[in-house]
Amino acid sequence: MTATKLVNPLTMRDQAALNDPYPLLSALRSNEPVWWCPDAKAWIVSTYAEAQYILRSADFEKQIQRWKHMPNPKLTMFFPPFKALRETSSSWLLNLNPPDHTRVRALVGRTFAPSTINLLKPEIEKTAAELIHIAREKGQFDLVSDFAFPLPLAIIALIMGIPVSDRNLLKKWSNMLVSIAGGNRTLGSIWTSGNAIIELRKYLTPLIEERRKDLRDDMLSMLITAEEEEHNAKTRLNTAELLANLILFLVAGQETTVNLISNGVLCLMRNPAQLSLLLEKPDSIASATNEILRYESPAQAAPRLANKDVVVAGKTIKEGDMVWLLLGSANRDSKQFENAEVFDITRTQNRHISFSEGIHRCIGASLAEAECEIALNSLFTNFPNLKLVEQQVDFKFPFALRGPKQLIVRA
Ligand code: HEM
């Protein structure tokens, strides 16, 4: 047996490795669970206990204030797309540290409470039914672009208050923004996403102003009016924060949910006995969704920066060092999960970290789960004999956002 060479999974482009990164992740866990990766100039942490420890620890924080990304901060001042990305992403909840994070999370968090998400379920069901209707007409379709992509996009549009007639604009911006997610930053991708942010800010500003004057019973109005008592004074999101975080929902919630739904369909089709179990017991959809999240985690990596010297698994991570937590690898750690490499929708001990852990745990987790549950239930109830037309499935680059490029299926 040849030993798997340790390479940086975040930048790997080899299609076979992207399709099946699990031998590499297993080799990382066995040989170098906390690995200084010269190529990434960062630590790569692949085991569950260590990843969970770092995510929960106050010794690690978000890195954006120290701005270790390209381009150089001075450059950002001269080029509007760089400046727009820098300004907007600096206000993203995802990139804040306490105490700013605590305030914004309290303001944004309640909009995503499970009780609010329950109110969205009829809309998710309606959108899924419309997409199924179109798919039925086609007979053969691409599950990714015809079903998994438009479903979360419609719901994010609803949250942002974007009318149905403008959904194509949102699709365009989502495609422009996806290039900065997942640690895949090049000058070109930063330029493209910066331009999407400029356009989105221009589009959303009047929409927010209109909604301020005409508050409704919807999530955008909830975000506009969200108030927090702090030191006896009420705080609210200012317009720049609101704009930034609406854009973050698109960056953080679109591609991840597309991948969750697509990965789910693929896992079930590749494991027909598990699909039969689900069809026999549709109530097990929540447990199935949890297992899909563990087994093929849509977000494979999360970054942190050490704010002091810390020893983890015998390695000294120095203050200012970057760390990447491999969430999907942690989810396959046999020290945490029995038969970790087996896809089992009846698994009861399933505390995966696909939505991260600690203060940055995904705010959209309940929404993503609801969308996946409704999507898979409607799909397989309507098409119990769904077949993969092409068995060869290629996964997208970068590795950090894990999902198939396309899934050609026949109803
Ligand atoms: C399957 C779908 C999703 C996955 C796998 C996922 C994954 C994650 C992960 C791993 C983080 C934390 C990153 C870190 O610790 O550095 C996160 C944070 C976040 N996610 Fe999600 N996400 C999903 C869907 C969504 C949706 C639908 C939304 C909203 C529409 C959303 C909004 C956010 C926000 C705002 C944060 C930042 C939270 C904070 O920093 O306090 N996500 N997500």
Side-chain angles (χ1 to χ4, degrees), residues 62 93-94 101 105 253 256 304 354 356 359-360 362-363 368:
K62 287 299 184 148
L93 179 61
L94 185 70
H101 179 268
R105 174 101 188 186
T256 44
R304 291 293 184 276
S354 296
S356 188
I359 62 167
H360 290 283
C362 179
I363 218 170

Side-chain angles (χ1 to χ4, degrees), residues 55 62 93-95 101 105 108 112 156 159 245 248-250 252-254 256-257 260 293 297-299 301-304 327 353-357 359-365 367-368 371:
L55 289 170
K62 287 299 184 148
L93 179 61
L94 185 70
N95 288 333
H101 179 268
R105 174 101 188 186
V108 173
F112 284 88
I156 291 180
I159 295 172
N245 284 292
L248 171 62
F249 301 154
L250 189 60
Q254 174 61 18
T256 44
T257 312
L260 174 59
L293 279 157
S297 310
R304 291 293 184 276
L327 309 175
I353 53 170
S354 296
F355 290 121
S356 188
E357 284 257 321
I359 62 167
H360 290 283
R361 187 178 189 276
C362 179
I363 218 170
L367 173 59
E371 289 181 19

Side-chain angles (χ1 to χ4, degrees), residues 22-85:
Y22 296 107
L24 168 64
L25 301 181
S26 167
L28 281 168
R29 287 193 302 274
S30 309
N31 302 320
E32 292 279 359
V34 177
W35 178 45
W36 174 257
C37 172
D39 169 42
K41 295 191 186 62
W43 295 93
I44 292 195
V45 176
S46 50
T47 40
Y48 186 94
E50 283 68 29
Q52 187 186 53
Y53 167 78
I54 291 173
L55 289 170
R56 288 178 174 181
S57 165
D59 299 340
F60 294 87
E61 57 180 46
K62 287 299 184 148
Q63 70 279 22
I64 204 146
Q65 271 102 355
R66 303 203 198 183
W67 199 254
K68 287 208 154 191
H69 310 303
M70 285 194 301
N72 179 308
K74 285 185 197 134
L75 254 185
T76 62
M77 305 315 294
F78 297 106
F79 298 100
F82 292 164
K83 190 162 176 263
L85 176 62

Side-chain angles (χ1 to χ4, degrees), residues 331-347:
N331 288 335
R332 295 276 190 124
D333 188 338
S334 57
K335 288 199 189 119
Q336 176 66 21
F337 300 97
E338 217 171 285
N339 298 324
E341 304 287 352
V342 175
F343 178 70
D344 175 7
I345 66 165
T346 65
R347 194 178 283 279

